Amino acid sequence: MRRRQGLLLGLGLLAVALVWWVVEVAFLPSEARGNAATYGQFVLAAVGLAVSVVGLWKAVLPPSTGLDELSDRFATVMRAQSVTAALERGLMQPSPLPLRWSGVAKGITGSVAAATASRGAEAWFQPLPGLGPITSADLRSGNREKLHRVYGALPSGRLILVGPAGSGKSSAAVLLQLDALQYRESAAGDHDRWRIPVPVILTLHGWDPETTSVMDWLVSRLTLIPLLRGRGGARHARALLERHITVILDGLDEIPEHLRPIALQVLSDQATFRVILLSRTDEMADAARQHLLVGAVAVRLEPLTPAATLRYLLGPLASPAPSEWKSLAETMKDDRSSPVASVLSSPLWVSLLHDIYPPLGKLDATVDELLDTDRFTDSRTITQHLLDQAIAAAYTSRPWEKPSPYTPATVRRTLGVIAGRLHRDRTRDFTWWGTAAWSPMSGRLASLIPTVLFTIPAVLTAGTLIAVLADDLFWVISGALAGIGVAAKFLAPAAKYPLTLGGSFQSRNLRRGVQLGLSLGLGFGVVAGSQGGFAGGFASGYVGGLGVCVPVGLVGGVTVGLLDHLAQQGRNDVNPPTPVNLWRAELATVPLLLVTFASAGALVFGLLGGVVGGVQSGLEEAVIGAFVGAAIAIAVWTALSKTMRSACGQLYLTVRYRTPFRFLRFLEDARSRHILRTVGPLYQFRHATLQDHLAAETTPTASPDHPKSLTE
């Protein structure tokens, strides 16, 4: 639509110029009409050349990607994210804990028989290629492999996965996502592969089902992925949701209690895609009393058996196992009612033991300390101890490892600030640029500082240089008004994401932006050049005016097209889209903006100065024009940059809470130590229970008008 509007606008300007030229020629003296005819031929030749260039551009560049091919690219992105998530959760090495589940219907779903009944062509979803229909008997119990088969063959496409806190629901979702992606990759051909949807894991934090439809909310979350940004991103996301995506929604129990049954009702009414819903058992049962997820089948994760726990714990250790681990194993076998045996039936606490205690862990302690019934009288004292020790172990370095640059006090304080803020915002997700909203007045201070220190001085500098060149205050006022218009049109839509650029000039969105700029520039060049020709005479004015204004218009058009692409956050290929990669991609736009705008300024002012005052004047004004372009580039970058605003927000946190100023460096250090994990550009605590534990200890003061989610 935008592309068509731009082309129509350019053609409209050309038509106006042509009509105006015909009228002007009709009233010329007879002796001047011959020159006018020659000039008209020149104009037509210029227009023909421009049209040929645009046509050649469209012929050389590849066509836009189809929806099926886009789903393959989306699957590649999800594959990279799921592998990263599995590594950060320790699901690769050692081998993951066994996944066992049993069917559950009472109080959570409707009739299992009705949900699994074969409806033939009337079923919401046909079984995935290679899978047969399932029956009620298939839902009694199963393992990891059978869970994928149940998901892929459900006629309703709706599956609920429940379990108590720490039962491994999120890990099970990651494993299911990996299995589904591998199954898709192993499809016999393109047709079968495109019939298998791509699973994407999203957290429900930040969704208000009372005010936002599930489709609109999902589109807003999917467009966080660089592949689906830009003008066409929302349209592509909606199209993928129709038949190419399975949505795995984690954290129903994390949204406000009164919204949970509403969320189930909205999903029942609006979800036209396959959906897997994760929640704690009691919270799901409470919500289901008011409204069920219609057509869904529910399975419950089962506790670990002592045998499975011991295989996982003792498997990576040298044989025979150290004596302290043997003591733990014997207690679990002989006294299954002991506090430690009760705790170690949960995958969360089992996985933490290897992180904390030698020979795999880093603390100077032995695992058999958990058997001290005087210190650990119940399960809660053990879990609180493990959470505290998990942080200590993560930041304890062995002699051959690089020590942490942060003191234990700084780590606890900073993690507490993060957890407390996320608790206030009722979310599990945050971004490095979202920290700007953690300063007072919802980040307004963080937005004001770079504007006052950089953007406004850069605009004033550019205006002063233009005034020196034009020797007329009118041009300064016109430039300021134009700058306000550009800011309103191009800069405002870029408020959500870091400033990144597409991987190549073959990007569809960039091509559309530049074509829009070329159309506008060509129209401006023809109109302004024609007026210069009539004012200066046929011999020199026409050719000279058009010869200058067309290049000036084209340069300005290409620059505007590039700015449009930047501001609209066009599709880019930041791969993988990690927080650090997005930060580096934003910094990489600085030299590009400087070179682009400085070159455009030098060319525009150099051409104008050369025509008016000769070669020497053109060179002098080209230098000044380069400085004008550089000043505009600085203004554009500081107006768009999330790095500037996050730095101001981090300065506030440093002053207020004594957190590290280089906040992204701290976050990456915590991620490398498996305290945090990343999901695309988002950060999360590796264990939600750890976030809750830290939030209970420290809740920082936050402004009352904070956003619901730092990812919005």
Side-chain angles (χ1 to χ4, degrees):
M1 181 62 69
R2 289 285 190 89
R3 178 182 176 185
R4 188 181 304 117
Q5 291 175 350
L7 292 176
L8 289 176
L9 180 59
L11 292 174
L13 290 174
L14 288 175
V16 171
L18 179 61
V19 172
W20 178 65
W21 173 76
V22 171
V23 173
E24 288 285 341
V25 170
F27 289 96
L28 288 175
S30 59
E31 62 273 10
R33 291 179 183 173
N35 291 334
T38 303
Y39 172 70
Q41 294 174 3
F42 171 76
V43 172
L44 291 176
V47 173
L49 177 62
V51 172
S52 299
V53 169
V54 174
L56 179 62
W57 186 333
K58 294 173 63 177
V60 171
L61 291 178
S64 58
T65 304
L67 193 61
D68 292 330
E69 291 78 8
L70 182 62
S71 69
D72 288 338
R73 297 184 61 190
F74 186 75
T76 300
V77 174
M78 290 300 102
R79 175 74 176 180
Q81 287 192 11
S82 60
V83 169
T84 300
L87 289 173
E88 291 179 345
R89 293 173 180 270
L91 300 179
M92 296 295 193
Q93 295 294 335
S95 58
L97 286 161
L99 192 156
R100 296 172 53 252
W101 56 268
S102 60
V104 55
K106 186 177 180 180
I108 292 181
T109 64
S111 169
V112 174
T116 58
S118 177
R119 300 180 180 88
E122 297 180 358
W124 292 349
F125 298 97
Q126 297 298 322
L128 299 181
L131 296 180
I134 61 170
T135 64
S136 300
D138 293 323
L139 295 175
R140 293 172 183 169
S141 63
N143 54 15
R144 172 180 170 181
E145 181 180 359
K146 194 172 182 181
L147 182 64
H148 173 262
R149 191 168 79 83
V150 168
Y151 144 72
L154 275 177
S156 67
R158 296 175 175 182
L159 177 65
I160 297 176
L161 187 62
V162 297
S167 60
K169 296 181 294 297
S170 297
S171 296
V174 172
L175 293 174
L176 180 57
Q177 183 185 38
L178 282 171
D179 293 341
L181 289 169
Q182 184 176 359
Y183 189 80
R184 188 179 192 274
E185 293 171 1
S186 62
D190 290 346
H191 179 69
D192 284 346
R193 186 176 70 255
W194 291 334
R195 289 175 55 200
I196 301 175
V198 179
V200 55
I201 300 177
L202 300 172
T203 54
L204 281 166
H205 315 295
W207 179 36
D208 185 352
E210 290 184 312
T211 60
T212 307
S213 70
V214 65
M215 186 66 74
D216 289 343
W217 176 75
L218 287 173
V219 168
S220 69
R221 293 301 306 271
L222 289 175
T223 51
L224 284 173
I225 301 171
L227 181 65
L228 297 177
R229 289 187 193 162
R231 294 187 189 89
R235 184 178 71 256
H236 290 152
R238 289 182 184 276
L240 288 174
L241 279 168
E242 290 181 0
R243 62 187 183 96
H244 283 292
I245 286 181
T246 292
V247 180
I248 303 177
L249 297 174
D250 192 3
L252 178 74
D253 49 282
E254 301 293 344
I255 65 176
E257 183 176 356
H258 73 281
L259 293 180
R260 296 169 194 165
I262 300 175
L264 293 177
Q265 182 177 7
V266 170
L267 286 171
S268 296
D269 297 340
Q270 300 179 6
T272 58
F273 42 82
R274 295 178 187 267
V275 60
I276 302 174
L277 189 60
L278 278 60
S279 174
R280 296 180 183 179
T281 307
D282 293 340
E283 285 79 352
M284 173 60 74
D286 291 340
R289 290 191 184 98
Q290 300 182 49
H291 201 287
L292 297 174
L293 180 59
V294 177
V297 164
V299 299
R300 179 181 55 242
L301 293 180
E302 293 294 330
L304 295 173
T305 64
T309 299
L310 293 178
R311 281 197 302 270
Y312 180 86
L313 291 178
L314 302 181
L317 305 181
S319 182
S323 58
E324 57 271 15
W325 288 90
K326 284 184 177 180
S327 299
L328 179 68
E330 291 172 358
T331 300
M332 292 187 62
K333 290 179 181 179
D334 299 337
D335 188 3
R336 297 188 179 184
S337 62
S338 65
V340 68
S342 175
V343 167
L344 295 183
S345 65
S346 170
L348 168 61
W349 311 115
V350 173
S351 64
L352 284 180
L353 290 192
H354 281 318
D355 296 336
I356 297 172
Y357 295 105
L360 301 180
K362 299 179 179 180
L363 287 188
D364 186 16
T366 57
V367 71
D368 58 353
E369 68 173 351
L370 300 178
L371 304 178
D372 186 349
T373 55
D374 293 333
R375 289 180 58 192
F376 304 108
T377 57
D378 54 24
S379 299
R380 185 178 182 279
T381 56
I382 295 178
T383 57
Q384 296 298 303
H385 174 75
L386 291 177
L387 290 174
D388 289 333
Q389 297 299 87
I391 299 177
Y395 286 89
T396 299
S397 299
R398 291 171 176 172
W400 60 87
E401 295 176 334
K402 184 179 179 180
S404 171
Y406 309 105
T407 64
T410 299
V411 170
R412 296 284 301 197
R413 183 168 56 249
T414 305
L415 292 176
V417 167
I418 297 172
R421 178 67 197 210
L422 298 184
H423 178 73
R424 288 179 61 87
D425 290 344
R426 295 180 177 179
T427 183
R428 299 291 187 191
D429 309 328
F430 69 104
T431 60
W432 58 262
W433 63 88
T435 56
W438 296 7
S439 60
M441 300 176 63
S442 295
R444 294 186 180 92
L445 180 63
S447 298
L448 181 63
I449 291 177
T451 301
V452 172
L453 294 182
F454 299 98
T455 307
I456 293 178
V459 171
L460 293 177
T461 300
T464 302
L465 292 173
I466 293 174
V468 170
L469 288 174
D471 195 20
D472 192 342
L473 184 62
F474 168 77
W475 291 102
V476 179
I477 298 175
S478 300
L481 293 176
I484 294 174
V486 169
K489 172 63 174 67
F490 296 123
L491 306 188
K496 289 186 177 181
Y497 313 113
L499 181 64
T500 55
L501 182 64
S504 71
F505 281 85
Q506 295 181 354
S507 167
R508 180 183 178 188
N509 289 325
L510 178 57
R511 186 169 74 249
R512 292 192 306 184
V514 172
Q515 285 177 343
L516 171 62
L518 287 173
S519 302
L520 296 175
L522 183 60
F524 165 75
V526 171
V527 174
S530 299
Q531 184 165 358
F534 283 115
F538 293 107
S540 60
Y542 282 13
V543 176
L546 190 61
V548 171
C549 289
V550 168
V552 168
L554 294 179
V555 171
V558 172
T559 305
V560 169
L562 177 62
L563 176 60
D564 178 65
H565 175 64
L566 288 169
Q568 293 294 337
Q569 299 297 286
R571 186 188 73 201
N572 60 76
D573 297 315
V574 178
N575 190 25
T578 63
V580 172
N581 285 351
L582 286 177
W583 177 72
R584 290 172 178 168
E586 177 165 278
L587 292 182
T589 62
V590 176
L592 176 65
L593 284 174
L594 286 173
V595 171
T596 300
F597 282 86
S599 301
L603 184 57
V604 168
F605 287 101
L607 284 172
L608 293 175
V611 171
V612 175
V615 176
Q616 184 63 30
S617 176
L619 292 176
E620 293 175 356
E621 295 197 7
V623 174
I624 299 178
F627 282 104
V628 171
I632 294 175
I634 293 173
V636 168
W637 192 80
T638 54
L640 291 170
S641 170
K642 294 295 176 285
T643 300
M644 297 293 295
R645 281 158 178 73
S646 67
C648 295
Q650 291 160 23
L651 178 61
Y652 165 77
L653 294 178
T654 300
V655 174
R656 176 68 178 82
Y657 301 110
R658 293 177 294 144
T659 62
F661 176 70
R662 298 178 63 182
F663 204 61
L664 183 59
R665 181 190 178 196
F666 174 85
L667 297 178
E668 280 300 296
D669 183 67
R671 182 196 61 79
S672 68
R673 298 174 186 278
H674 303 293
I675 295 298
L676 301 178
R677 63 170 180 253
T678 57
V679 181
L682 308 176
Y683 283 105
Q684 298 175 345
F685 277 86
R686 181 185 175 190
H687 303 297
T689 307
L690 177 59
Q691 175 185 323
D692 297 338
H693 175 68
L694 292 169
E697 294 181 345
T698 308
T699 303
T701 303
S703 59
D705 57 345
H706 59 75
K708 289 184 179 180
S709 174
L710 299 181
T711 64
E712 294 182 340

